[in-house]
Amino acid sequence: MSTYDYAIVGGGIVGLATAMALGKRFPQSRIVLLEKEQALAQHQTGRNSGVIHSGIYYKPGSYKAKFARAGSRSMVEFCQEHGIAHEICGKVIVATEPHELQLLENLYQRGLANQLEITRLSAEALKEIEPHVNGLAGLRVPSTGIVDYKQVAAAYARIIQAQGGELRLGAKVEQLDIRGDVVTIVSSQGELRARFLINCAGLHSDRIAQLGQAQIDMQIVPFRGEYYELKPEKRYLVKHLIYPVPNPNFPFLGVHFTRMIGGDIHAGPNAVLSLKREGYHKTDIDLCDSAQVLTSPAFWKLAGKNMNEGIKEIVRSVSKAAFVRSLQRLIPEVQSSDIVPAHAGVRAQALRNDGALVDDFMIVPGPNALHVCNAPSPGATASIEIGKAIVEQVPT
Ligand SMILES: Cc1cc2nc3c(=O)[nH]c(=O)nc-3n(C[C@H](O)[C@H](O)[C@H](O)COP(=O)(O)OP(=O)(O)OC[C@H]3O[C@@H](n4cnc5c(N)ncnc54)[C@H](O)[C@@H]3O)c2cc1C
């Protein structure tokens, strides 16, 4: 049976960044990464908005704030070094209602606390940057950028292989057996051993953590994010990235316009409970996945507290007219006939047993292992920094 120093579960951007960082730090070590799909980056990494976030939203001092700020720089440097198409196009955050002006100001102060360069925009200044946007005021964050994270993941993979690391595709981890200093990993491709395991399984990270006997007080709840795309003849409506002021209680909600690196303009995502962890269509249901959520007291505590927002998101999912109304708050000219459905992604969101959503990145130690149990947005931006942080915590 093959024996490795480090085994990583999950070939998304976090698992790949971790394998790359381990290979750099410990060049003599034997590293293997197991991915259940036949290709890398098939889930969150390949189905996101493609934004290189600057870190304005996050609580100062949190991992998200630190890793987004450092991560956006390291991501841009990485793209420059490896010839990956990217663009620092900047973003605007727009207040469309009077009550949002104070929230916008709070966000400005938070951005300053996170040491970002930000500019306040009057309604006129906003119009100069984004002529079709209707706003009372805005903020401009020039350091925000765009990239295709599948291409970044592919570049990480090439580096891992050049470092001598092994990537096993189509290898689903099904069982873990931890004895003494050795973890035996049973996968759909047979068994292997490792001294240490790093769980970067995204939407399945809680299940891998349980297999690894880690003490976790959370479960993953999958939230689907559905996107529309502006028809090519309407792309002129959006120059940069246009975001609403986030509701501080639900910072990950709020559909926005995002220019993708390929030139498309995406509108979305919403956030609806998915009845399948990798359920990219409204009709996708998995009995085990849905039962796990719907029988969880923590989920019902969350749902009870946030019923209104949840219902609004469901309405936006089933009604294109409702989705368009949300977009019209930012760009009143957008019509239903201007957008067509595009891809969807599913967020792996950790929910604590007490019904609270985990906001920050969460890395939990377990026997001979580290488990990345929450790596939501800006996880792709921050991937190089998350990889480095994990390497600091593994045994040599
Ligand atoms: C809709 C949406 C929009 C987003 N927008 C942005 C954005 O603009 N900018 C940004 O920075 N971040 C964004 N994010 C967040 C970002 O995509 C994630 O933080 C990041 O992709 C997480 O990477 P990951 O490697 O942890 O997860 P994933 O990419 O999901 O990878 C996990 C991998 O583990 C594999 N796996 C699972 N179980 C097993 C098993 N048993 N055995 C073997 N392999 C297994 C899966 O197949 C998968 O490939 C967004 C996310 C979503 C969903």
Side-chain angles (χ1 to χ4, degrees):
M1 196 191 306
S2 316
T3 301
Y4 296 87
D5 294 302
Y6 303 107
I8 295 126
V9 186
I13 202 160
V14 173
L16 290 162
T18 302
M20 181 173 75
L22 282 167
K24 190 170 175 200
R25 176 77 176 269
F26 308 116
Q28 304 306 324
S29 63
R30 289 152 302 166
I31 298 170
V32 64
L33 180 148
L34 300 111
E35 165 54 51
K36 68 180 166 63
E37 306 295 347
Q38 295 298 339
L40 299 166
Q42 295 299 294
H43 295 293
Q44 297 177 91
T45 300
R47 295 173 161 273
N48 58 37
S49 299
V51 176
I52 305 176
H53 286 293
S54 307
I56 182 168
Y57 301 124
Y58 316 119
K59 201 168 156 195
S62 63
Y63 285 122
K64 272 190 179 176
K66 282 191 276 189
F67 289 176
R69 203 161 63 87
S72 60
R73 286 199 200 122
S74 45
M75 182 58 65
V76 170
E77 277 166 25
F78 184 87
C79 291
Q80 285 167 345
E81 198 179 322
H82 295 274
I84 298 169
H86 65 289
E87 191 187 329
I88 306 306
C89 53
K91 84 169 177 187
V92 293
I93 304 171
V94 181
T96 55
E97 310 274 344
H99 78 270
E100 290 177 341
L101 291 172
Q102 185 57 51
L103 297 173
L104 195 72
E105 179 58 24
N106 297 350
L107 207 54
Y108 177 72
Q109 296 302 336
R110 178 163 274 196
L112 293 184
N114 284 331
Q115 296 162 43
L116 295 175
E117 190 197 318
I118 325 165
T119 324
R120 288 193 186 99
L121 299 172
S122 63
E124 297 72 43
L126 185 59
K127 272 264 180 274
E128 267 172 38
I129 299 176
E130 287 289 353
H132 301 277
V133 165
N134 182 38
L136 301 174
L139 296 179
R140 177 151 200 271
V141 189
S143 53
T144 306
I146 51 175
V147 69
D148 177 351
Y149 285 113
K150 266 193 167 176
Q151 286 191 24
V152 176
Y156 290 176
R158 286 193 293 276
I159 294 172
I160 295 164
Q161 286 173 316
Q163 287 167 339
E166 199 180 313
L167 301 175
R168 288 199 190 181
L169 299 179
K172 180 177 181 191
V173 173
E174 293 167 341
Q175 225 177 297
L176 298 173
D177 184 19
I178 302 151
R179 276 166 217 230
D181 284 347
V182 177
V183 185
T184 304
I185 300 162
V186 182
S187 85
S188 52
Q189 285 186 3
E191 290 186 20
L192 58 90
R193 288 197 189 124
R195 282 198 301 119
F196 199 80
L197 177 127
I198 301 131
N199 162 15
C200 304
L203 285 152
H204 298 276
S205 55
D206 54 343
R207 291 178 177 160
I208 298 292
Q210 277 158 357
L211 291 178
Q213 297 159 31
Q215 301 292 320
I216 51 166
D217 72 337
M218 50 66 70
Q219 70 180 91
I220 290 293
V221 178
F223 285 102
R224 190 172 49 251
E226 297 153 334
Y227 293 86
Y228 283 87
E229 193 178 320
L230 275 183
K231 287 184 178 167
E233 62 272 24
K234 292 289 170 175
R235 287 183 187 158
Y236 70 88
L237 292 173
V238 177
K239 309 283 177 225
H240 305 83
L241 311 180
I242 306 170
Y243 283 68
V245 177
N247 176 335
N249 298 322
F250 308 98
F252 65 91
L253 299 185
V255 291
H256 47 261
F257 291 93
T258 313
R259 194 142 64 75
M260 308 298 280
I261 198 72
D264 311 344
I265 293 182
H266 284 192
N270 56 7
V272 279
L273 177 69
S274 174
L275 295 176
K276 185 176 178 189
R277 292 207 178 188
E278 289 156 3
Y280 300 110
H281 303 102
K282 292 187 209 309
T283 49
D284 283 349
I285 297 181
D286 177 281
L287 288 182
C288 168
D289 290 351
S290 44
Q292 203 168 341
V293 175
L294 297 175
T295 58
S296 148
F299 172 73
W300 289 109
K301 271 188 210 159
L302 174 77
K305 274 191 246 155
N306 303 299
M307 196 59 86
N308 279 348
E309 289 304 319
I311 290 170
K312 278 190 219 155
E313 289 296 325
I314 292 169
V315 171
R316 251 196 293 268
S317 171
V318 294
S319 157
K320 187 179 182 187
F323 200 100
V324 171
R325 276 197 298 278
S326 303
L327 298 177
Q328 284 171 335
R329 281 185 52 203
L330 294 168
I331 302 185
E333 282 169 71
V334 172
Q335 299 300 318
S336 183
S337 55
D338 297 340
I339 58 170
V340 289
H343 75 285
V346 180
R347 303 171 182 84
Q349 175 60 53
L351 174 68
R352 282 193 200 282
N353 294 347
D354 62 5
L357 292 174
V358 179
D359 185 41
D360 212 353
F361 298 136
M362 180 176 165
I363 302 174
V364 180
N368 293 353
L370 282 176
H371 301 274
V372 180
C373 288
N374 199 47
S377 187
T381 304
S383 53
I384 293 176
E385 302 307 312
I386 297 176
K388 282 194 222 157
I390 289 173
V391 167
E392 293 304 316
Q393 297 178 50
V394 301
T396 54

